[in-house]
Amino acid sequence: MTVRTRYAPSPTGDPHVGNIRTAIFAWALARANGGQFLVRVEDTDQNRLVPGSVGRIMESLRWLGIEWDEGPDVGGPHAPYVQSERLHLYRAAADQLIAARRAYRCFCTPERLDAMRAEQAAQKQPPGYDGLCRGITAAESEARGRAEKHVVRFAMRKEGQTALNDLVRGEVVFENRLQDDFVALKSDGFPTYHLALIVDDVDMRITHVLRGEEWLPSAPKHLQLYEALGHTPTLFAHLPLILGPDGKKLSKRTGDTALLDYRENGYLPEAMLSFLAMLGWSLDDKTSIIPPEELLRSFSIERVVSNPAVFDIQRLDYLNGHYIREMAPETWRATVAEWCERGLPDTVARPVNAEVIAAAAPLLQERTAKLSDIADTVAFLFGYEAPEYAPAVLVERAGGEAEAVRILDAALVTLDGLSEDGWTRDAIEAAIRGLEGELGLKLRKFIPVLYVAEQGKAQGLPLFDSMALLGRQRALQRLRTARAHLD
Ligand code: GLU
């Protein structure tokens, strides 16, 4: 059996991280088994379509390096891969179900359905269609079907149970008496997700459906549809929920945003892929960083867990830092240049000075977690004055105004003693370390004040290197400015 999986997004907006995690798992499963992965656009809910989503969905996949064998853009033997272009197939399936009496036309008006729901709520009964149109004879249904607006409902079996053998959760049993005669084909001729999914997964020879846990309650509908249409169901794997570190459903605040926002915010695709791949799956008990080749070689559903995965941004930052440190120096330099071009204030001349970039890049590589932090970290290298800061920060860092004055004066005297030629990183370091004895303070106690003076904040690029980069005149001028703030 050739493993065939699909990613079936609805173009209702930019895909978020959880949705893309599903795509990654489906892609990895196909690749790990030498199978095929396809993309299918599920645009049956015409009211919810958002223009541009399909492009953003594909851009998200491409950014992560995900490749598909069949899809709306590349075509394939089961084209079209867009559901709104396949309506005749769903219509034919609905007709087949009606002929077999596994589906029926429902003529109930929205008003009747509203009244029915209100009544059910008042009686504290579970909501669901009451089956009024199920009893209409075939002849009457056909005749009315030609003249009246209607939907097609699937006639669920109401006795017994429907059992799903889920690849992640094992056996899950559903009571049929609780099932509803759901709408399979809407009055506008568009199918619902339930019908379209089955028709397409059969036609496209899908073997494994990987999807979010929120679809688990719909599984009995899908299994009964398979049976009624005379097809063997695909295998199903319902993937675990993704929770925030607060243990609650992932929200915008805890990281549930569009995948491409992560690109904007300075994450590398390798880090994102490795991070998302491990939300619910692991290679073994010890590997914490998964290169893409390893994922595509080793992914298996056996190692997907059913309990929720935690979306921990700090882990993503850690992975991003790891992949940044792995970058070749030239690639890293080009990346730094790109993010400086983008992020430095307009007051900095463009193109951004390549020498400064080249000097700062190795220092940045060790300590950058997100590419979007780069511009802010190096901004101090570009102006004559330090970036603006509140003078109170100097005082606070020193632990008092008099202390701040004492530290800055001592630094000025010592550093002023270095000549233009002697203004090297090592000489600066020696001079500043020499202040420990003179001030009677450990380096870590007074160095934040010098950071603020030079860089506008109490931490940043290593101080000695950056003072060397600034040059004697600028570095000393910044100390004088800081000192002047305190008078
Ligand atoms: N269109 C559905 C969604 O975006 C697909 C679910 C599935 O993979 O079957 O949630």
Side-chain angles (χ1 to χ4, degrees):
M1 173 181 79
T2 307
V3 170
R4 282 176 59 86
T5 62
R6 85 298 191 274
Y7 170 52
S10 300
T12 53
D14 283 13
H16 281 210
V17 285
N19 192 271
I20 294 290
R21 191 259 325 243
T22 304
I24 294 172
F25 281 24
W27 170 60
L29 181 70
R31 292 289 176 262
N33 290 282
Q36 287 120 32
F37 171 66
L38 57 95
V39 173
R40 176 175 80 220
V41 173
E42 302 207 328
D43 58 347
T44 56
D45 194 344
Q46 296 280 302
N47 298 326
R48 292 181 54 227
L49 299 186
V50 174
S53 314
V54 174
R56 304 278 288 174
I57 288 166
M58 299 209 179
E59 197 180 335
S60 302
L61 299 179
R62 285 200 196 96
W63 179 57
L64 292 178
I66 297 177
E67 290 168 324
W68 51 102
D69 307 294
E70 299 167 32
D73 54 338
V74 291
H78 306 282
Y81 292 88
V82 176
Q83 289 187 328
S84 58
E85 296 169 22
R86 302 169 59 82
L87 297 184
H88 60 288
L89 296 171
Y90 315 127
R91 170 94 259 165
D95 289 345
Q96 180 190 338
L97 291 168
I98 293 173
R101 303 201 60 76
R102 286 306 309 272
Y104 56 92
R105 295 183 189 84
C106 173
F107 302 96
C108 292
T109 59
E111 295 75 33
R112 172 168 193 277
L113 295 173
D114 285 347
M116 177 191 79
R117 283 189 205 107
E119 176 67 16
Q120 284 165 342
Q123 304 287 328
K124 304 227 178 323
Q125 287 168 350
Y129 184 62
D130 60 5
L132 181 72
C133 294
R134 204 171 177 164
I136 299 177
T137 63
E140 184 190 337
S141 163
E142 202 133 315
R144 286 178 66 183
R146 276 191 288 273
E148 285 176 48
K149 201 170 163 174
H150 61 274
V151 300
V152 176
R153 285 186 187 274
F154 183 70
M156 287 292 279
R157 263 190 293 102
K158 299 286 171 92
E159 324 75 46
Q161 297 170 324
T162 302
L164 169 73
N165 214 334
D166 189 84
L167 294 174
V168 173
R169 277 141 230 274
E171 191 177 58
V172 187
V173 176
F174 301 87
E175 293 297 332
N176 290 343
R177 75 189 150 76
L178 301 175
Q179 301 299 322
D180 190 22
D181 284 358
F182 62 89
V183 174
L185 201 67
K186 295 177 276 186
S187 57
D188 60 3
F190 277 79
T192 56
Y193 165 66
H194 310 301
L195 180 64
L197 146 94
I198 307 299
V199 169
D200 288 347
D201 283 350
V202 168
D203 183 57
M204 296 175 183
R205 311 274 188 278
I206 299 301
T207 57
H208 296 66
V209 167
L210 283 73
R211 62 184 180 185
E213 191 185 70
E214 68 275 17
W215 291 113
L216 188 61
S218 304
K221 296 183 176 59
H222 303 154
L223 293 172
Q224 287 203 27
L225 263 171
Y226 268 113
E227 178 207 305
L229 287 166
H231 296 295
T232 312
T234 53
L235 296 168
F236 284 95
H238 288 92
L239 305 180
L241 285 177
I242 303 177
L243 303 180
D246 54 3
K248 300 209 180 91
K249 209 166 161 268
L250 198 62
S251 66
K252 198 163 175 123
R253 193 179 52 80
T254 49
D256 185 19
T257 55
L259 182 82
L260 293 175
D261 288 349
Y262 284 89
R263 180 175 69 179
E264 290 310 299
N265 291 335
Y267 291 98
L268 295 170
E270 300 87 331
M272 204 66 210
L273 184 67
S274 187
F275 175 68
L276 294 176
M278 292 189 65
L279 291 178
W281 173 81
S282 57
L283 180 64
D284 49 35
D285 296 333
K286 47 184 199 298
T287 310
S288 62
I289 296 177
I290 309 280
E293 320 77 71
E294 185 66 50
L295 171 70
L296 297 187
R297 198 169 38 236
S298 317
F299 185 86
S300 74
I301 296 191
E302 287 74 53
R303 291 204 57 90
V304 175
V305 291
S306 59
N307 47 326
V310 177
F311 193 95
D312 177 359
I313 286 276
Q314 284 176 356
R315 217 189 107 62
L316 176 59
D317 286 352
Y318 160 77
L319 286 170
N320 211 44
H322 166 83
Y323 281 103
I324 285 174
R325 289 189 295 280
E326 296 244 296
M327 281 167 96
E330 338 49 278
T331 321
W332 173 243
R333 211 178 305 130
T335 307
V336 170
E338 181 197 327
W339 285 82
C340 283
E341 291 289 340
R342 266 170 77 160
L344 282 173
D346 293 343
T347 47
V348 175
R350 301 296 200 279
V352 174
N353 186 324
E355 261 174 59
V356 178
I357 300 278
L363 302 173
L364 282 165
Q365 192 159 13
E366 286 308 307
R367 49 183 55 76
T368 301
K370 282 190 293 180
L371 306 178
S372 52
D373 293 339
I374 290 175
D376 196 40
T377 309
V378 299
F380 76 95
L381 288 171
F382 291 91
Y384 189 76
E385 303 292 337
E388 266 182 43
Y389 57 88
V393 180
L394 291 166
V395 176
E396 183 200 321
R397 285 296 160 168
E401 177 148 4
E403 269 306 85
V405 169
R406 202 165 73 86
I407 293 164
L408 288 166
D409 282 347
L412 269 165
V413 170
T414 308
L415 290 163
D416 204 28
L418 295 180
S419 68
E420 195 70 57
D421 287 344
W423 190 261
T424 63
R425 185 211 167 280
D426 290 350
I428 296 166
E429 173 168 5
I432 292 179
R433 282 194 189 282
L435 294 174
E436 281 196 321
E438 189 182 332
L439 291 167
L441 287 174
K442 287 268 176 239
L443 183 73
R444 69 183 154 74
K445 286 280 178 203
F446 65 86
I447 205 169
V449 179
L450 306 182
Y451 265 98
V452 175
E454 299 293 345
Q455 305 194 20
K457 45 188 172 357
Q459 71 265 326
L461 286 192
L463 185 73
F464 314 134
D465 296 274
S466 50
M467 288 176 75
L469 282 176
L470 285 169
R472 182 176 187 278
Q473 205 190 344
R474 259 201 302 176
L476 289 177
Q477 181 55 36
R478 288 181 187 196
L479 292 176
R480 280 186 217 107
T481 308
R483 178 65 183 78
H485 283 318
L486 299 174
D487 275 339

